[in-house]
Amino acid sequence: MIAGPTSRKTGPGSGLGECRGMLRFLIIDDNPDDRKMAGRELRKEFKDLECREIFSREQFAQALDEGGFDLVITDYQLRWGTGIEVLEAVKTKYPEVPVVMFTGTGSEEIAVEAMKTGLADYILKTSKHMKRLPVAVKSALEKSGYERQVVELETRYRELFETLPVGIFRTTVDGRLIELNPAVYSIFNLTDGSQIKGIPVADFYVNPADRDLFVQRLKKDGVVRNFRTRFRMQDGSEFHAEIHARLMEDGYIEGVIQDITTLVEAEKERDQLFETLKTLFEHLHEGVFLLNEEGRVVLANPVAVPCLRVLAGTEVGDVIGNIDGLDWKEYLISPGERSFREVSVGDGSEKRVFQLGGRYTEEAEESRGAVFLVREVTEEKKREERIQAQERLASIGHLAAGIAHDFNNILTVIIGYAEIMLKDPALPGQFRQKVDAIFQGGTRAAKLVKQILDFSRKSVSQKKPVEMGAFLREFYRFISRTIPEDITLEMDCPPGEYTVEADPTKLQQVLANLVVNAKDALSGGGKIRLGLQTESLESPLSLKTGELTPGRYVVLTVSDTGTGIPSEHIPNIFDPFFTTKEVGKGTGLGLAQVYGIVKQHGGDIDLLTESGRGTTFRIYLPLLESGGSSMKEKQVEDGLPRGGGERILVVEDDETVRELLVTILESMGYSAVDAADGVEGLRRFEEESGRIDLVITDMIMPEMGGLEFIKRVKDRDSSVRIIVLSGYPDMEDGGMIAAEGVDRIIGKPVNVRRFAETVQEVLQER
């Protein structure tokens, strides 16, 4: 590729001093003196100038090949050619480079011919005209600069016209197509303009009325912006378009057109999304509201509106004031923070609790609004308090059960040996009274431990179907004899089906404890009312002690018209050893025992009270559908049943309890083998090799627990009978124990007679 002229340009109106960089001229002349003279005159005007002298055809050809010159000065008459030939050669290869003819042999005809060919100027070689040479060169350079800029502008316009992705058009007002760029063809899915030649513009509009409206606006305003319409292509398909156009002075319409189908569809999706978000915003379960930089509520969803009224007394459009004594900006949280501020309004039963938090919507300080979330958590707080109360009661229950377990082991030994000694006719009379005192004291201690186990829901219940109507009427007859004359006892027991799966003895204990508390609250007389009804729940019911699941329930009520319970005592009312009675008048275990027994029966208890206006306890017990079977009661003979030498393995980690059990079994005529834990018990069982008729095992033991021991024994002999002995058998685990093939569960402390009868029953069932 041959290099062209230099890229230095002279702008319109620019002088030679504004030419950038070194100028390079070709001076073509046979006469060296004329070449030197021309160079001297030019350097007077152009400071940075390089003149290359040409005086042969070979030099001229080389200069043309190399290029890089800004102007050519040539004589007309040359030994190897003419100035016209030089002019034609330069213009052929570099049409933008000006050529000036500086000659002494030319004529007017030659000058005219040269000017037609593209000569910039014609100067005679005379002393008079010599000074015009720099002026002519300067003028030629400026004219060349103008022409170059015009060409460049036209080229750029044409490039833009051809390459812009935006459609550019020129039409007449009456709709004739004049000029279209390739982007218009692409928009209309055309290869060129021949396919639509002669078709009126109006024919492309899906709705011709849009064309009329477009023209009306142009004639009125001279310009149309953002005009949207739909066009139809040659294949019949349609697209959305946007037009910007101007009515020109020559009467033509010039403008741009864009296919905005994707944009329109995106806007439609945006609008649908906005409607979806609006619906979501209006149906959110949490309140959302928007504040501007002044703190004015500009937007709020339906949940937020009532919250704002309660918290700040404001509506949408109002400037929000203080919330709970703090400016609204105090409730803003940082992006990494998640905890909202808690705000309480009102007191007592009217107390409402809200959580509030917000964040700025803009980064700029001067235009910061904020979006807030607000939710009422009154019921959640109440539920949390109930859960905390349940957890507290559960933890106390676990502690109480653990203590009771150890006490039961001790009491088993005390009561067991005392009972054995009392049955011994050889016991001297002076000791019998003392041993009986030990036995009675141990029995009372066992009852106290039983109350603790009732609270912890880990005592053993003997449940059976109980018809609560008959049960309540019997209890009413029994308890009425203990009520003072200044207290009226009433009962409301309408006819109905009130059967539940329960331990009658424990339910009697529940009612007795509640009636005694009611009687104590009526120091000046009053009324106690017992009630019975059924209730069906289709949704969870919130109680003071938790949440009652849906179902059918028998509801026992014990009400009094006494002093009521102060609100500050209610959270601890079912805690063990919590009492408001004077010292010596209550243990604080009564309501704790009631709570434990009710929960043990799969029910729940609620409390309605108001200080000075009485108290009502409502006990919910699951209704037993018809078809439940009742447990058979047995008559027990006086004396302990006797064994027939059967082999019994006793596994118990407490040595004193183990020795007592072995003593009892051997005194009944059984052969006893003992072990201190599950590992030793399994070894002894294997050593006996099928001679063991019954296994009596504790549940909580070191090395190997009772459940694992039972599984391994059953793996070796599935027919062997098993009795579980435990200080606190959890009835929920009872189902799992029974699934392992356990025949009976006996709780500690052991009653010798009941223990002896149970052993005999299990052995007879083989």
Side-chain angles (χ1 to χ4, degrees), residues 200-213:
V201 172
D203 288 359
F204 293 99
Y205 282 77
V206 173
N207 183 7
D210 286 355
R211 169 67 182 178
D212 297 336
L213 179 62

Side-chain angles (χ1 to χ4, degrees), residues 2-5 61 64-67 88-96:
I2 297 173
L64 281 180
D65 289 341
E66 292 175 357
E88 290 175 345
V90 172
K91 287 298 180 179
T92 298
K93 196 162 189 177
Y94 307 116
E96 73 278 9

